[in-house]
Amino acid sequence: MKIMKKIVDMKGSFHYNAAVFLVLLLLSCGLYAKDLNLAYLPNQAAKVGDDKYQLMKDFETSVKQIQTLFVGDDMVKSELQTSEAGFQVYVFYNLRKTAYWHKIYVISWDDKVYARIYK
């Protein structure tokens, strides 16, 4: 009888440990799901698709805000790709082979500014 009582007590402890493990697992998944791309974009960036973000400022201001994030980093280069009527593209290049991102395109058309990140 004592053995059965110990088994029942262990079973209750097992359920408690399993519940705690499940809560910690869900919490860690939620923390991991944070979008790492937002670290490379201005604070007002809003995700609109996979690796595509809408920037709330105008084109020049958005480019300047991103440039300030990479001041002094010799491995990040940038240049204006094209500037035509109603359409502008500015690109940031990350030259590191192990970088999380390799190109960030800032694109403006129809008075909207988007950023697209390529890995």
Side-chain angles (χ1 to χ4, degrees):
M1 236 18 199
K2 289 183 180 182
I3 295 175
M4 285 301 279
K5 187 175 180 182
K6 286 185 179 183
I7 290 175
V8 170
D9 288 343
M10 286 176 46
K11 189 176 181 183
S13 174
F14 174 74
H15 289 295
Y16 173 77
N17 289 339
V20 169
F21 177 73
L22 182 63
V23 168
L24 291 175
L25 181 65
L26 292 174
L27 181 62
S28 68
C29 289
L31 293 175
Y32 182 74
K34 179 183 174 193
D35 194 347
L36 295 177
N37 292 334
L38 292 176
Y40 307 113
L41 298 174
N43 292 336
Q44 76 277 4
K47 187 171 187 169
V48 293
D50 288 339
D51 299 327
K52 183 179 178 184
Y53 302 85
Q54 184 170 3
L55 305 177
M56 305 304 168
K57 302 285 183 177
D58 61 296
F59 182 76
E60 289 81 16
T61 305
S62 295
V63 168
K64 287 179 184 176
Q65 286 179 336
I66 295 173
Q67 282 175 334
T68 59
L69 296 173
F70 302 116
V71 168
D73 191 346
D74 294 335
M75 297 302 285
V76 177
K77 306 294 182 195
S78 62
E79 66 176 302
L80 180 66
Q81 290 287 330
T82 185
S83 181
E84 298 178 14
F87 184 77
Q88 295 174 310
V89 177
Y90 199 95
V91 66
F92 294 88
Y93 301 99
N94 193 341
L95 304 177
R96 290 183 190 89
K97 299 272 185 207
T98 59
Y100 180 74
W101 63 274
H102 292 288
K103 292 181 184 174
I104 298 175
Y105 289 95
V106 180
I107 305 165
S108 171
W109 77 90
D110 293 337
D111 295 329
K112 293 182 181 176
V113 181
Y114 294 96
R116 179 78 183 191
I117 297 179
Y118 290 94
K119 298 173 186 166

